[in-house]
């Protein structure tokens, strides 16, 4: 939750959020739930759309690497909005958050990898189920109502990978959160849908995945937890790029950019499939370019949000070095691994092998790293005192009496 709050608040001043607020302000004047990091509230559906979108703008969110799914994005906005409106105890919100994430990840397992390879943005397409389950738990739906809301959620599933590198990619988890919540609000009023949305012949699994495995949804339910496989990003871009970033930061110790002849990177096939943009022109496109990401991390020894600004992506020095980045794929290499070679102009060579990228389950970010990430992201939005209070309150979330204890330090901003 701390990670999700940081990436949401940090991105809340983005132009795409201004656009969404302009549209929602034209449609509703309700003040039901906080826009995190802004000094205003909005109606429930608009708030979850905006907060969910903001949380994915930086591409800095938590990741379930097996399915390349970002579980918090569609679920947390619903949990926070309903918790605020109905004054739900944080302990109950935490339960809904965990179960919502667990459901979407298990459905993701059942349709991976063919669903993602087909071109669907899995965070959105299955995230709608997580949002619906979390909302349904908070609003105490009956078993029949929950089945109906899952049907409503499944028929609103969407998200295309074609949109990566544009404002529409972060819009996906925001809309999944909104669609999941709307499904619950309709189901609790008696709106009907199919009771068999997942398993039916023309249901979600069969339509959205050429090779679905429905048994994986309930596999060891209650004894193993997919959410425990969730990891966090030290870099503000697709997680498949993180091994290469680690490698390029290490290689930068052995040469200046001018001394580099080329940097060869042996990577998992997903890397070029997802991040093969050779000539990005905007910060958002840069997040999906192994060429930009490796060049800028070599030069600046980092790949946080500052390295994905438009002016950085178009800087001549970065453009010159990215021409020297030479990735190639190997289906045998793991997603969090890279084998890199720096070849210098004078013929010298340096090799780096990253077995597990920083932020992976085997090499996780520490609590101190997550706190530092949150602080950096929010430093231009919240005061030092607010940041300290939010960190403290999230660390004891289930023990808070009300969610407002936490939100009051996110609301009173510029």
């Amino acid at each position: 939750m701390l990670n999700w709050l940081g990436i949401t608040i940090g991105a809340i001043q983005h132009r795409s959020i201004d656009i969404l607020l302009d549209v929602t302000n034209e449609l509703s004047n309700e003040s039901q739930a906080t826009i995190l990091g802004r000094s205003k509230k909005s109606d429930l559906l608009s708030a979850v759309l905006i907060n969910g979108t903001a949380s994915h703008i930086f591409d800095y969110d938590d990741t379930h690497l097996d399915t390349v799914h970002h579980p918090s994005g569609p679920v947390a906005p619903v949990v926070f909005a309903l918790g605020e409106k109905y004054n739900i105890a944080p302990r109950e919100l935490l339960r809904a958050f965990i179960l919502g994430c667990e459901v979407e990840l298990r459905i993701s397992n059942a349709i991976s990898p063919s669903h993602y390879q087909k071109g669907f943005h899995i965070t959105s397409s299955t995230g709608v189920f997580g949002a619906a389950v979390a909302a349904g738990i908070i609003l105490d739906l009956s078993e029949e109502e929950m089945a109906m809301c899952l049907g409503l959620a499944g028929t609103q599933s969407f998200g295309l990978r074609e949109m990566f590198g544009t404002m529409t990619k972060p819009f996906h988890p925001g809309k999944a959160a909104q669609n999941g919540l709307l499904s619950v609000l309709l189901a609790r009023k008696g709106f009907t849908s199919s009771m068999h949305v997942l398993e039916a012949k023309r249901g979600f699994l069969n339509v959205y995945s050429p090779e679905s495995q429905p048994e994986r949804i309930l596999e060891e339910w209650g004894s193993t937890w997919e959410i425990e496989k969730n990891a966090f990003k030290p870099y503000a871009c697709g997680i498949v790029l993180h091994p290469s970033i680690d490698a390029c930061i290490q290689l930068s110790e052995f040469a200046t950019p001018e001394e580099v002849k080329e940097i060869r990177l042996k990577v998992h096939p997903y890397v070029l499939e997802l991040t093969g943009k050779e000539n990005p022109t905007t910060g958002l496109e840069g997040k999906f370019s192994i060429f930009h990401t490796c060049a800028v991390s070599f030069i600046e020894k980092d790949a946080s949000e500052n390295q994905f600004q438009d002016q950085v992506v178009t800087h001549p020095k970065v453009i010159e070095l990215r021409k020297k980045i030479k990735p190639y794929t190997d289906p045998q290499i793991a997603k969090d691994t890279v084998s890199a070679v720096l070849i210098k102009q004078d013929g010298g060579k340096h090799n780096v092998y990253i077995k597990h990228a920083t932020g992976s389950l085997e090499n996780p970010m520490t609590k101190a790293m997550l706190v530092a990430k949150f602080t950096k992201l929010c430093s231009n939005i919240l005061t030092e005192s607010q940041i300290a209070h939010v960190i403290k309150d999230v660390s004891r979330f289930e023990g808070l009496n009300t969610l407002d204890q936490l939100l009051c330090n996110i609301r009173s901003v510029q």
Side-chain angles (χ1 to χ4, degrees):
M1 282 187 171
L2 183 70
N3 185 78
W4 180 81
L5 284 168
I7 59 178
T8 303
I9 296 166
I12 208 67
Q13 301 294 338
H14 193 270
R15 172 60 182 149
S16 59
I17 300 302
D18 291 332
I19 294 171
L20 287 173
L21 278 168
D22 285 346
V23 172
T24 57
N25 287 340
E26 292 175 5
L27 300 175
S28 173
N29 291 316
E30 292 284 342
S31 297
Q32 298 175 319
T34 297
I35 306 299
L36 301 172
R38 294 256 185 166
S39 55
K40 69 162 292 176
K41 291 186 176 185
S42 187
D43 65 279
L44 273 179
L45 290 174
S46 297
V48 299
L49 170 66
I50 292 167
N51 289 331
T53 299
S55 73
H56 200 52
I57 287 173
F58 287 169
D59 235 299
Y60 222 171
D61 30 6
D62 52 341
T63 306
H64 181 262
L65 190 57
D66 287 354
T67 58
V68 202
H69 182 106
H70 310 293
S72 294
V75 177
V78 170
V79 169
F80 273 78
L82 289 177
E84 180 178 10
K85 177 173 170 54
Y86 294 107
N87 194 29
I88 308 295
R91 186 176 183 86
E92 293 304 309
L93 297 179
L94 187 59
R95 175 174 176 267
F97 173 77
I98 290 169
L99 290 172
C101 289
E102 188 67 18
V103 166
E104 63 183 335
L105 291 176
R106 284 171 169 271
I107 294 173
S108 295
N109 282 342
I111 58 173
S112 292
S114 59
H115 176 78
Y116 196 74
Q117 292 169 347
K118 196 173 176 66
F120 291 104
H121 185 188
I122 198 167
T123 298
S124 171
S125 57
T126 65
V128 68
F129 292 107
V133 166
I137 289 170
I138 291 169
L139 296 179
D140 198 26
L141 263 59
S142 67
E143 182 177 336
E144 181 177 355
E145 289 170 337
M146 185 69 88
M148 290 296 183
C149 93
L150 288 174
L152 283 159
T155 207
Q156 295 181 86
S157 171
F158 86 115
L160 300 173
R161 281 171 48 199
E162 169 62 22
M163 304 303 158
F164 286 15
T166 73
M167 289 182 184
T168 301
K169 182 178 189 274
F171 176 73
H172 287 168
K175 199 67 173 70
Q178 185 185 60
N179 289 350
L181 176 56
L182 177 61
S183 300
V184 171
L185 297 178
L186 291 171
R188 72 199 292 246
K189 295 286 189 181
F191 205 98
T192 63
S193 70
S194 167
M195 298 280 282
H196 309 283
V197 63
L198 294 173
E199 71 275 20
K201 180 180 179 181
R202 296 179 180 84
F204 181 83
L205 297 179
N206 289 318
V207 172
Y208 278 68
S209 174
E211 301 169 2
S212 63
Q213 304 171 72
E215 68 279 1
R216 295 207 62 191
I217 297 176
L218 296 179
E219 191 174 63
E220 298 184 5
W221 178 267
S223 59
T224 64
W225 294 85
E226 290 301 311
I227 197 172
E228 290 188 332
K229 300 176 184 176
N230 201 23
F232 304 98
K233 293 183 179 182
Y235 309 122
C237 56
I239 200 164
V240 294
L241 288 170
H242 291 200
S244 298
I245 294 169
D246 280 348
C248 286
I249 291 173
Q250 289 189 27
L251 289 172
S252 69
E253 300 296 328
F254 302 104
T256 65
E258 293 74 22
E259 292 172 331
V260 175
K261 182 178 180 181
E262 64 179 44
I263 297 174
R264 297 176 186 170
L265 301 150
K266 183 164 68 174
V267 298
H268 187 276
Y270 264 173
V271 176
L272 287 186
E273 183 181 338
L274 294 171
T275 65
K277 291 181 182 292
E278 293 189 39
N279 299 297
T281 58
T282 67
L284 285 174
E285 288 184 348
K287 291 174 182 287
F288 297 92
S289 170
I290 187 173
F291 305 95
H292 169 73
T293 304
C294 287
V296 77
S297 60
F298 186 96
I299 294 169
E300 301 193 7
K301 303 183 190 300
D302 197 5
S304 56
E305 186 55 28
N306 289 339
Q307 281 69 51
F308 294 100
Q309 302 300 310
D310 292 352
Q311 66 270 23
V312 177
V313 173
T314 56
H315 194 285
K317 189 174 182 179
V318 176
I319 292 174
E320 183 60 31
L321 184 56
R322 77 184 182 211
K323 296 174 184 176
K324 303 174 183 179
I325 306 299
K326 307 294 181 183
Y328 62 99
T329 63
D330 180 351
Q332 301 304 313
I333 202 164
K335 293 175 189 173
D336 63 342
T337 301
V338 70
S339 179
V341 181
L342 164 67
I343 302 173
K344 299 174 66 173
Q345 298 286 0
D346 63 8
K349 291 185 179 181
H350 294 277
N351 296 277
V352 167
Y353 179 73
I354 304 295
K355 186 174 183 180
H356 298 294
T358 306
S360 63
L361 289 177
E362 294 80 4
N363 184 19
M365 291 181 71
T366 63
K367 182 177 179 180
M369 292 168 72
L370 286 168
V371 167
K373 175 180 174 180
F374 176 87
T375 302
K376 185 176 181 179
L377 283 165
C378 298
S379 60
N380 293 327
I381 310 290
L382 305 180
T383 66
E384 287 185 17
S385 175
Q386 287 174 316
I387 289 171
H389 276 97
V390 172
I391 292 169
K392 180 180 179 181
D393 285 342
V394 173
S395 71
R396 57 190 183 121
F397 188 82
E398 67 272 28
L400 297 178
N401 293 322
T402 68
L403 187 62
D404 199 57
Q405 287 180 248
L406 172 61
L407 291 176
C408 67
N409 283 299
I410 299 174
R411 249 188 244 120
S412 53
V413 295
Q414 326 164 354

